[in-house]
Amino acid sequence: MRYGIVGTGAVGGYFGGLLAKAGRDVHFLLHSDYHYVRQNGLRVDSVDGDFILDNINVYDSTSAMPECDVVFVAMKTTSNGMLAAMLPPLLHDNTLVILIQNGIGVEEDVQALLPGVRLAAGLAYICTTKVGPGHIWHQSNGRLSIGDYSCGDEAFMDAVVADMTDAGLRVNRVGYNEARWKKAVWNMPFNGMTVVMNTDCAGLIDCRATERLIRMMMLEVVGAARACGVEGVDESYAMRMIDMTRHMPSYSSSMKADYDNGRPMEIRYLYARPIEIAAGHGFKMPMLSMLAAQLEFMDGRK
């Protein structure tokens, strides 16, 4: 299969890098790092083994890229309005676009931009950071869960997962709604709280008061998922996410990194949309609504 990576940052660079390292046909779209990676390659420092990829296929425009069988979109959702112009050169009739992005409601809006394109959700459970031009630091985890949104071709979905697994990626298939809401159980409390409390995830867990807040927010997400009829998201899962975070290395959320670097925060899909969707099913999320309001205030004052 031929892969395209749109957004060669911490997540796209890591998963695309693993595919290229395994000899897959991978094509990377870069922006500010284009000239650096073209000359120096892509470097991944990983708990699972460091590697450098020289002479990889890099581009500064999708118009120069070939059509691909699988496209990973790993850029921030704040830039999704650009996808209608960016993606068409990469697509043939059967291309699968995997949106490795945070939040709920992402696929619905991208589908409206690109009717007929086969979409899947990609949920990355990983601690990884871009620490310099063409330089990715992978600290922990590294699992990618994929939920079909509009592909509908089970054989093709299985073939994609099998190919990525054979290349060394830790990939599994999950139900679409379950996947999105499960990721929200971690994302909604930790992303926003690291920003408003100006700390990392370990700092939130190590303090009894903020750990209690995190637990309460997680259970609010569980309640919203249940109200929306999503199965497989329960209190025991939330507690597993707490335990997973407790054993992670010191890690700042992606939203905290965006805020610290003056970038727009992904408030729409991480907060506004799930809160709105839950309300449509008669479930209110007061704690997370307050957190979202704080983030909107901080985002507007940067």
Side-chain angles (χ1 to χ4, degrees):
M1 292 186 180
R2 177 178 289 162
Y3 293 87
I5 310 297
V6 176
T8 308
V11 174
Y14 172 75
F15 288 119
L18 285 181
L19 288 168
K21 178 174 176 283
R24 297 304 189 270
D25 185 10
V26 188
H27 299 261
F28 297 86
L29 177 70
L30 297 106
H31 180 50
S32 59
D33 293 358
Y34 168 71
H35 293 289
Y36 181 90
V37 174
R38 187 176 180 184
Q39 293 177 4
N40 300 283
L42 180 70
R43 173 180 172 183
V44 178
D45 294 338
S46 171
V47 293
D48 299 323
D50 303 343
F51 60 91
I52 297 177
L53 299 170
D54 296 317
N55 301 316
I56 58 173
N57 303 308
V58 296
Y59 309 83
D60 59 0
S61 171
T62 55
S63 62
M65 297 173 69
E67 293 182 347
C68 297
D69 302 301
V70 180
V71 174
F72 288 167
V73 174
M75 64 188 199
K76 299 291 184 179
T77 55
T78 50
S79 299
N80 275 11
M82 301 165 60
L83 291 178
M86 291 176 65
L87 288 186
L90 305 180
L91 308 178
H92 55 65
D93 289 345
N94 296 314
T95 300
L96 177 67
V97 176
I98 302 177
L99 300 172
I100 311 179
Q101 298 182 308
N102 286 326
I104 290 174
V106 179
E107 286 74 24
E108 180 182 356
D109 288 356
V110 172
Q111 195 78 84
L113 291 173
L114 295 160
V117 173
R118 307 202 298 182
L119 300 178
L123 294 309
Y125 293 85
I126 188 171
C127 297
T128 186
T129 308
K130 180 184 167 187
V131 294
H135 186 187
I136 295 160
W137 179 29
H138 169 226
Q139 299 169 260
S140 177
N141 300 329
R143 177 166 56 88
L144 180 65
S145 295
I146 298 177
D148 182 15
Y149 181 75
S150 61
C151 177
D153 186 337
E154 292 294 313
F156 183 72
M157 291 290 298
D158 287 341
V160 170
V161 170
D163 191 57
M164 289 192 286
T165 301
D166 186 61
L169 278 67
R170 284 171 276 174
V171 187
N172 67 300
R173 284 192 62 187
V174 291
Y176 169 75
N177 285 313
E178 178 183 345
R180 279 291 178 199
W181 280 99
K182 275 189 170 179
K183 190 69 187 293
V185 170
W186 193 95
N187 269 340
M188 293 186 76
F190 277 103
N191 271 280
M193 284 287 283
T194 53
V195 174
V196 301
M197 301 303 292
N198 191 28
T199 187
D200 60 14
C201 299
L204 295 172
I205 290 293
D206 290 343
C207 171
R208 183 177 299 178
T210 51
E211 182 193 7
R212 181 171 178 269
L213 279 177
I214 291 290
R215 288 176 181 267
M216 293 170 67
M217 289 179 180
M218 281 187 165
L219 294 180
E220 197 168 271
V221 181
V222 169
R226 284 179 170 169
C228 294
V230 180
E231 298 181 355
V233 185
D234 56 22
E235 289 86 349
S236 65
Y237 179 78
M239 296 309 104
R240 290 201 302 275
M241 291 297 98
I242 289 279
D243 188 60
M244 178 197 76
T245 308
R246 195 184 308 281
H247 292 91
M248 281 167 39
S250 180
Y251 178 72
S252 231
S253 72
S254 60
M255 182 170 277
K256 179 71 160 59
D258 288 339
Y259 180 76
D260 289 346
N261 287 283
R263 297 188 292 262
M265 293 187 285
E266 297 182 285
I267 299 171
R268 173 173 170 77
Y269 293 107
L270 274 171
Y271 294 94
R273 285 297 295 275
I275 290 169
E276 175 186 291
I277 291 169
H281 287 82
F283 188 89
K284 295 182 179 180
M285 305 178 76
M287 295 185 70
L288 288 160
S289 295
M290 180 179 290
L291 180 58
Q294 291 174 291
L295 293 168
E296 291 277 6
F297 175 82
M298 296 176 73
D299 204 43
R301 289 176 66 88
K302 286 189 298 187

